[in-house]
């Protein structure tokens, strides 16, 4: 029997070099294996190098996950050699592997010469590493469908280089969540989005872009028709930044999912957003969780829901909306045409009474 999918995630025994040799032999002997999942298997750099040496002799592999293996830069160097020799691999997950900018520089060869999608979430890549990857992306005439660099240490300079490299490219996912791009990085993102930046999903949560950076991005989204998902959570956006979001929602009819959770909108900010939410015709999911608003903000959100015909899920968790706010939300849903459309309202940790 030919094994098509080999799932050994979380199996510490894979770290044993003897087991590694056996797995390598299996990959060579069973050319039907297409998906290999060794996430959290404790391979380290030596185990990664050992296994990758067997990939070149398996002609069927398309999807490999080595997330959480601590392969480090040394393991990446061995991995790059294998990836460059394999024609069919499409996806490689290297999340949480202690990869620094030195490893990113090695991986630049993969980005420059192949169309392999590489997930580098949760590593130690800084501006230098991001710039190395950016130069490789820019040199590759093949579109890069995903940029997955969340939870690294990329600042404004690295972000600017990445956005410049993506000029004219169709990017499926741009995930720079929880880096350090700041206001200037947000400006560069806005400039790219204005200049026909074609991307479906944008996640820049946790980047300290503040109200100023938020304005740059929202102004760009007013005329961008490709973005379907935008996440600006945890960016210090206050009621002063709500106006820019509202202006975007009045003009944009493409965005389906907006995440503004863990900001500082308060009652005033939600009230400023409400008329635009009410009028928008594309939104399906909205997350306003943990924004320090109370019953007044909940009333404003309820008013928005009452007139909106597309929103199916609203999250107001982590706000002190209290019973009064919940009653307003319930009344708006049951008394409006939206009742048949709203599927879920998240109300976790909202200071409600048991009654």
């Amino acid at each position: 029997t030919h094994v098509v999918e080999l799932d050994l995630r979380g199996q510490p025994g894979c770290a044993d070099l003897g087991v590694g040799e056996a797995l390598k032999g299996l990959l060579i002997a069973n050319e039907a294996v297409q998906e290999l999942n060794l996430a959290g298997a404790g391979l380290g750099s030596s185990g990664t190098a050992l296994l990758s040496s067997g990939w070149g002799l398996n002609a069927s592999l398309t999807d490999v996950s080595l997330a959480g293996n601590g392969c480090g830069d040394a393991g990446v160097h061995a991995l790059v050699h294998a990836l460059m020799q394999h024609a069919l691999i499409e996806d490689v997950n290297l999340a949480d592997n202690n990869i620094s900018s030195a490893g990113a520089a090695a991986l630049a060869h993969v980005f420059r010469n192949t169309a392999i999608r590489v997930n580098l979430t949760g590593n130690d890549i800084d501006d230098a590493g991001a710039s190395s990857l950016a130069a490789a992306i820019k040199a590759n005439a093949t579109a890069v469908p995903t940029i997955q660099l969340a939870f690294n240490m990329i600042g404004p300079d690295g972000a600017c280089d990445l956005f410049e490299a993506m000029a004219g490219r169709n990017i499926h996912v741009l995930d720079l969540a929880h880096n350090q791009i700041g206001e200037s990085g947000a400006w560069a993102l806005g400039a790219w989005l204005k200049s026909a930046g074609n991307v479906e999903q944008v996640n820049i949560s946790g980047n300290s872009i503040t109200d100023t950076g938020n304005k740059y991005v929202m102004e760009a989204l007013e005329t961008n028709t490709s973005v379907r998902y935008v996440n600006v959570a945890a960016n210090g956006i206050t009621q002063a930044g709500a106006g820019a979001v509202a202006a975007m929602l009045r003009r944009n009819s493409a965005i389906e999912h907006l995440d503004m959770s863990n900001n500082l909108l308060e009652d005033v900010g939600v009230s400023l957003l409400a008329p635009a939410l009410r009028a928008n015709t594309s939104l399906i999911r909205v997350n306003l969780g943990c924004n320090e608003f109370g019953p007044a903000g909940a009333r404003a959100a309820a008013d928005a829901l009452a007139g909106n015909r597309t929103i199916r899920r609203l999250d107001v968790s982590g706000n002190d909306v209290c019973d009064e706010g919940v009653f307003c939300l319930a009344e708006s849903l049951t008394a409006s045409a939206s009742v048949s459309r709203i599927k879920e309202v998240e109300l976790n940790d909202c200071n409600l009474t048991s009654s």
Side-chain angles (χ1 to χ4, degrees), residues 156-288:
D157 291 343
C160 289
D161 286 345
L162 284 168
F163 299 141
E164 180 184 351
M166 293 187 300
R169 301 296 181 91
N170 295 322
I171 308 297
H172 176 54
V173 175
L174 172 61
D175 190 355
L176 289 174
H178 294 275
N179 280 280
Q180 303 156 15
I181 74 170
E183 294 176 1
S184 55
W187 177 88
L189 172 59
W192 176 65
L193 290 171
K194 283 183 177 178
S195 62
N198 194 352
V199 58
E200 292 184 18
Q201 301 179 35
V202 177
N203 188 345
I204 54 169
S205 59
N207 270 282
S208 302
I209 67 172
T210 73
D211 291 331
T212 300
N214 175 65
K215 183 178 180 181
Y216 297 140
V217 175
M218 294 304 157
E219 285 180 347
L221 289 174
E222 287 184 19
T223 54
N224 184 290
T225 59
S226 66
V227 177
R228 298 291 184 269
Y229 168 91
V230 59
N231 189 334
V232 290
N235 269 304
I237 301 169
T238 71
Q239 57 186 258
V245 181
M248 180 275 292
L249 290 175
R250 290 189 186 97
R251 297 191 61 186
N252 185 295
S253 57
I255 290 177
E256 299 175 352
H257 186 165
L258 174 65
D259 191 335
M260 292 197 67
S261 60
N262 291 282
N263 280 297
L264 306 166
L265 293 178
E266 301 181 323
D267 289 327
V268 174
V270 177
S271 297
L272 289 171
L273 277 179
L277 288 172
R278 183 185 181 99
N280 185 274
T281 59
S282 61
L283 280 172
I284 296 174
R285 298 164 64 96
V286 179
N287 191 342
L288 298 176

